[in-house]
Amino acid sequence: MKHCLRKDGSFPLASILAARTPDISSPPNPTKIYYAAGIPEINISALAYFAASIFWRGSIHPWRDDGSIPVELDHFRSNSAST
């Protein structure tokens, strides 16, 4: 969470990446790819855990007005998530 966007508008993760040259980029496409393993300021395990938690949360909350859940993780969902 220390690298997330903050209320003051700062975004530490974006600043870390902006200070580095992307490993892959293809102008004029704005997409840039960075290999996090080569960036010591980034805790890869924590970032992966955070990303997985976002998918999990998206798969258990009924985001649509009709109560349906648009993100299905199928057999990756635990039984406790469906209760």
Side-chain angles (χ1 to χ4, degrees):
M1 295 303 291
K2 70 180 181 178
H3 293 315
C4 289
L5 180 64
R6 304 217 172 118
K7 289 181 182 182
D8 66 3
S10 64
F11 193 172
L13 181 58
S15 297
I16 290 168
L17 297 177
R20 299 189 167 267
T21 302
D23 292 294
I24 299 173
S25 64
S26 181
N29 185 334
T31 301
K32 298 174 185 171
I33 298 173
Y34 300 85
Y35 295 119
I39 304 173
E41 299 93 341
I42 298 176
N43 179 335
I44 299 169
S45 295
L47 186 60
Y49 183 89
F50 176 76
S53 76
I54 296 299
F55 282 102
W56 179 80
R57 290 173 194 166
S59 74
I60 63 168
H61 182 78
W63 296 100
R64 296 183 177 151
D65 291 338
D66 66 0
S68 65
I69 299 173
V71 179
E72 282 295 329
L73 297 181
D74 294 327
H75 64 280
F76 296 107
R77 283 180 71 178
S78 69
N79 290 334
S80 63
S82 62
T83 57

